[in-house]
DNA sequence: CGGGTAGTTGAGCGCCTTCAATCGCCGTGG
DNA sequence: CCACGGCGATTGAAGGCGCTCAACTACCCG
């Protein structure tokens, strides 16, 4: 795992002009993440480093001592069962925290693997606790991050429990694009950094089903493939894709 | 099969590795919950009260101001979608916290409904924050509780993604019994406080499937119904039920 | 007794999986 | 240069698991 330059200015702020669902809410969120990072930097001066796709930030079972915050890039969280099969249990983007699940047992509960070149800020947990005691805003920030994670996990569970395959995949794409939008990135053109098998794993489907659903969404004009790579997906109408979530019907089949 | 003492499990030291009624780990956990409650009481003197089955502790959308800790009883967390259908997103027992998901937005993300007569300890969130700043152990306790919730949500997601109906229901029963065991309660005789429809809702199955799976588990001698109520379930061999989780095969069908 | 709720069980269907074939891409090595 | 193999993705065909629809029972409470 590289620890090269810590300056890594990420060129994110292309920005809010392109954001679906109202740029004001999105840019507010962008600002909020920036403020949070600034607060972190001021109170804890976290170690920064760049990691690359495939790099492992921590592994299941490793002693928990640090938390991480993503300044850019994206990560997947991988839970490996004793029988050896893997389950993707989370996806993380700029502003998200990594490692919360390790606090309870004192050892990490999953693997954290970069899906793209990313800048990670790392802070010692004991230092964080101490800083939280002195800076109430910092404590509130940490609690909000954990609370958000709990909320999103529940939404994911609900999707798994209630949505058929088509809506599940559509929701997945919509959420991914929404995650980027809230961070000020473009959403008309998203680059999934997962194979069909990984998407299926994350959604409780087989890779074939994912592939078929994507083809169906293309036929329904809700998405389009980039001609270069079939992992790059165009979303002409962000809202339409979202509304498909609730109405799994009304797709021209066949 | 009955053991009158509260150390419900006898010949299973092996189980101590996982989620045992294995007495040592279980009683350690009981002790830990007791210590946590004691610390809470010492630092915050929370308001206690008794609620009854069906009582609502908080509702979706209500302003978030308090957190709650269960001293006894059990709760369900209910998420209601805009279209009106409900999803059970969590089950809570003694020692569990309620309300974490409301922190992020400042309003509660679900309904919390008692499934049984329960004793609830309530504390103001702002008071908790303040107390956390002064008492590091309290802050650690809160973080551990949130971390545990994240972990358990992920396990639930994994179950939804990977297990077929039979294993899902078996895991549900096993986990429920395990939750009781970790709290020092008997596990050979558990009383589900959910209808078949609610179990199905929680597990992403229909009530008919739940009913059929339970009948199958009875035929396989992994569980037995109490003759009084079909919601009360005997678990003759806790371990066997657990091992069924991983091997969904090998049940005498028909 | 009648009505309502909870639960069980059967029959048939449909969505998703399983199995399999094919295509395109890319890096390697003859 | 092209052949080859591997990986990712797509698509078809067939089968099965779980859902839908429905009937029936048990139990509680008026």
């Amino acid at each position: 795992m590289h620890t090269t330059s810590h300056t890594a200015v990420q060129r994110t702020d292309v920005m809010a002009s392109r954001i679906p669902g109202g740029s004001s809410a999105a840019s507010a969120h962008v600002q909020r993440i920036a403020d949070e990072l600034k607060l972190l930097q001021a109170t804890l001066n976290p170690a920064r480093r760049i990691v690359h796709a495939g790099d492992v930030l921590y592994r299941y079972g490793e002693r928990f001592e640090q938390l991480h915050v993503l300044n850019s890039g994206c990560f997947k969280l991988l839970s490996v069962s004793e029988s050896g099969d893997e389950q993707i249990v989370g996806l993380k983007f700029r502003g998200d925290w990594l490692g919360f699940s390790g606090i309870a047992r004192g050892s990490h509960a999953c693997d954290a693997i970069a899906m793209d070149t990313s800048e990670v800020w790392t802070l010692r947990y004991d230092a964080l606790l101490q800083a939280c005691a002195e800076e109430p805003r910092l404590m509130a920030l940490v609690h909000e991050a954990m609370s958000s994670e709990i909320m999103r996990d529940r939404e994911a569970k609900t999707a798994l429990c209630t949505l058929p395959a088509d809506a599940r995949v559509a929701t997945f794409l919509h959420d991914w694009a929404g995650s980027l939008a809230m961070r000020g990135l473009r959403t008309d053109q998203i680059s999934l950094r997962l194979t069909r098998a990984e998407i299926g794993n994350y959604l409780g489907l087989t890779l074939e089903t994912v592939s078929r659903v994507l083809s169906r969404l293309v036929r329904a004009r809700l998405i389009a493939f980039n001609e270069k790579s079939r992992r790059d997906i165009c979303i002409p109408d962000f809202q339409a894709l979202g509304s498909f979530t609730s109405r799994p019907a009304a797709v021209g089949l066949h």
Side-chain angles (χ1 to χ4, degrees), chain A residues 6-92:
Chain A
H6 48 73
T7 45
V9 182
Q10 97 291 358
R11 46 158 201 88
T12 55
D13 310 321
V14 191
M15 271 283 316
S17 54
R18 283 223 152 272
I19 289 158
S23 52
S24 64
S27 64
H29 199 267
V30 171
Q31 187 57 50
R32 179 185 169 150
I33 291 179
D35 290 344
E36 292 178 357
L37 289 172
K38 202 174 299 179
L39 176 58
L40 266 183
Q41 184 166 16
T43 51
L44 281 156
N45 188 34
R48 304 170 168 216
R49 74 173 183 280
I50 301 289
V51 299
H52 298 88
D55 285 352
V56 178
L57 193 55
Y58 54 79
R59 278 204 191 281
Y60 170 86
E62 268 180 21
R63 183 184 175 85
F64 167 81
E65 285 171 324
Q66 305 170 328
L67 284 170
H68 311 273
V69 182
L70 271 190
N71 185 41
S72 69
C74 52
F75 267 72
K76 61 180 173 186
L77 301 184
L78 209 59
S79 164
V80 184
S81 81
E82 56 214 23
S83 56
D85 18 50
E86 303 179 338
Q87 176 65 41
I88 298 179
V89 295
L91 301 172
K92 300 294 171 186

Side-chain angles (χ1 to χ4, degrees), chain A residues 36 46 57 62 73 82 97 118 125 129 146 160 167 181 191 203 220 228 230 237 241:
Chain A
E36 292 178 357
L57 193 55
E62 268 180 21
E82 56 214 23
W97 292 64
S118 311
Y125 182 56
L129 286 181
M146 297 183 86
L160 289 173
S191 172
L203 298 176
K228 307 298 290 183
R230 297 181 82 78
D237 186 347
L241 187 61

Side-chain angles (χ1 to χ4, degrees), chain A residues 205-221:
Chain A
L205 301 169
T206 60
L207 68 94
E208 294 95 331
T209 299
V210 172
S211 178
R212 273 184 259 266
V213 170
L214 288 175
S215 298
R216 241 173 282 161
L217 292 175
V218 168
R219 276 195 287 275
R221 315 273 166 162

Side-chain angles (χ1 to χ4, degrees), chain A residues 5 47 50 74 119 131 142 146 148 158 166 193 220 228 233 254:
Chain A
S5 105
I50 301 289
C74 52
E119 182 182 332
V142 173
M146 297 183 86
S148 294
T158 299
D166 303 76
R193 319 204 72 78
K228 307 298 290 183
I233 288 178
H254 177 59

Side-chain angles (χ1 to χ4, degrees), chain A residues 85-114:
Chain A
D85 18 50
E86 303 179 338
Q87 176 65 41
I88 298 179
V89 295
L91 301 172
K92 300 294 171 186
F93 301 92
R94 168 171 155 91
D96 287 337
W97 292 64
L98 293 97
F100 283 146
S101 59
I103 295 177
R105 297 200 190 250
S107 67
H108 284 293
C110 59
D111 297 0
I113 300 176

Side-chain angles (χ1 to χ4, degrees), chain A residues 129-179:
Chain A
L129 286 181
Q130 205 167 339
C132 280
E134 294 158 10
E135 174 52 85
R137 287 182 306 151
L138 186 61
M139 181 155 55
L141 191 160
V142 173
H143 289 184
E144 281 162 31
M146 297 183 86
S147 174
S148 294
E149 183 153 347
I150 290 170
M151 269 184 49
R152 269 176 289 154
D153 280 351
R154 285 190 194 160
E155 286 163 11
K157 275 200 298 188
T158 299
L160 289 173
C161 277
T162 60
L163 301 183
D166 303 76
R168 235 181 274 179
V169 174
T171 301
F172 168 75
L173 296 175
H174 182 82
D175 286 355
W176 187 296
S179 293

